[in-house]
Amino acid sequence: MTDSQHTRVPARERRAFPGISPRAYEHPADRSALVALRRLTGFDTVFKALSGLLPERSLRLLFLSDSVRVSEEQFAHLHLMLTDACRVLDLEKVPPMYVSQDPRPNAMCVGMDEPVIVVTTGLVELLDEEEMRAVVGHEVGHALSGHSVYRTILLFLTTMALKVAWIPLGNIAIMALVTALREWFRKSELSADRAGLLAGQDLDASMRGLMKIAGGNHLHEMNTEAFLKQAEEYEAGGDLRDSVLKILNVLPRSHPFTTVRAAELKRWSATRDYQRIMDGHYPRRDEDRTASVGESFRQSASSYAEDVRTSKDPLMKLVSDLAGGAGDLGGKVRDRFGGFGGRRASSEGGEAPGGRGEDGRDGSWGDATDG
C-alpha cells in the first residue's frame, strides 16, 4: 500500500467520549469470563508470581531494537490514528506503538506495567485508512480496559506450556490456566471490537476490516450481507454434533471466528446502548468505584440468558427448551443429534421418528445478527 492510499479518505471530526469507562463498551461475557478467571483455583498465585517474573523490559527492548516505533517521523498516518483514538476514548497516556515485519496480518496490545501496541506489516498493507483506524481503536480499547496484562500472561503461559510438556502433570496445570485465559480473551475481543467502532465511528470500515482478515485483499469479490449470512449459517446449521465440534474448534483460538465477530459488532451497533454512547450518555471512569458489582453480574446473566433464548445453535436451543420445562428429554436429545436413533430404524425398514428430514434438522433458521 502506498502513502497516497493512506491519504485518500478526507479527515473528519469524530465524537469524543470524555471520561468514558470501559464498562460502556465491554461485552457482558467479557466481564463474566474475567470474574470466572480470577476465581480459578491458583490463578491469583500464578498472577502474582508472573507479575515479577515476566521479562517486560526485555520485551520493550526487543520492539525498540527490531521494530519501527510509530511517531510523527515514522508511520505518521498511524501516529495520527493512535493519538486520535486515544483522544476519542480519552486514554490520557498514549501507549507506544510499533510496526513489526511480519506478512501475517495481526495486532496486539501487551505489557504488565504499561501497554504496548504492535501491528504487523501484513496488517498495515492489507487495510485502508478507515479500516486501520478501527484496528487501532480496537487496541486502544484493550489498553483502556487493562486487557494487556492478561494477554501478556497468556503469551507467556502458552510458551511455557511447550517447554514443560515433558513434565508429568506440569503441562496439564498450565493448560488449564491457558484454556481459561483463552476463553476470557475471546470475549475481550468482542469488547475491543466495540471500542474500535467507537474510535473509528464507521461501521462499514469495521466490517470491511474483518472481511479482509478472513478473505484477504479481495473486497471486490466479497459482499457484506453474504459474509454476515455465513455467521447465521454457522450458528444455526447442523445438530448437536456440530455444536460440540464448534466448541472444540474454538478452544485453541485466542480470537472468536471472524464472521461471528462481524455479526456481533453489527448487532451491537443497532442497539440502544450504542446509540446512547454516541449521544453522550455513558458510564464514566470516575463512577467506576461506586459501580455495583451485583448489577454487572445481573447484566452478564441477562445477556447470557438472552443469548441462549435467541440462539439458533442446536445445543443452545436444547438448553433453552430444557430451561423452559420442555418434556421428552430423550427425544429432544435424539432429534438434536440428527435423529441418530431414527436413521438406524429407517435403515432397518422403519420410518425415522420425529418427522424430520434425512439430515435430522428441524428446518429452523433465523437472524443471528456483533467483533
Side-chain angles (χ1 to χ4, degrees), residues 7 11 37 68 73 126 150 161 165 168 201 220 226 233 251 297 308 313:
T7 58
L37 174 66
V68 176
E73 292 79 30
L126 177 65
Y150 299 100
Q201 297 173 23
H220 62 288
E233 184 175 348
L251 281 178
F297 275 120
V308 171
D313 180 83

Side-chain angles (χ1 to χ4, degrees), residues 180-251:
L181 275 164
R182 281 176 177 158
E183 169 61 17
W184 160 75
F185 196 77
R186 286 191 294 271
K187 306 305 183 185
S188 75
E189 286 298 298
L190 302 179
S191 297
D193 283 343
R194 295 177 175 186
L197 177 59
L198 292 175
Q201 297 173 23
D202 186 338
L203 179 62
D204 289 340
S206 294
M207 293 291 106
R208 293 197 310 269
L210 290 169
M211 290 169 65
K212 283 185 176 181
I213 289 173
N217 194 15
H218 304 281
L219 278 179
H220 62 288
E221 297 284 355
M222 292 184 272
N223 177 275
T224 304
E225 292 305 315
F227 187 70
L228 291 172
K229 190 158 184 142
Q230 289 181 224
E232 296 181 17
E233 184 175 348
Y234 172 76
E235 181 179 357
D239 51 35
L240 277 180
R241 291 167 297 187
D242 295 294
S243 297
V244 173
L245 289 174
K246 292 175 190 177
I247 295 172
L248 294 177
N249 285 341
V250 81
L251 281 178

Side-chain angles (χ1 to χ4, degrees), residues 52-100:
L53 291 176
L54 287 176
E56 182 166 1
R57 294 177 66 88
S58 174
L59 189 66
R60 290 178 183 276
L61 288 172
L62 177 63
F63 290 137
L64 194 61
S65 64
D66 206 32
S67 300
V68 176
R69 183 163 59 190
V70 172
S71 66
E72 293 179 348
E73 292 79 30
Q74 302 186 115
F75 289 99
H77 70 287
L78 294 181
H79 177 72
L80 288 174
M81 292 180 197
L82 177 62
T83 54
D84 189 56
C86 291
R87 176 190 67 84
V88 171
L89 296 176
D90 199 16
L91 184 62
E92 183 176 353
K93 186 172 183 179
V94 178
M97 181 175 176
Y98 293 88
V99 176
S100 179

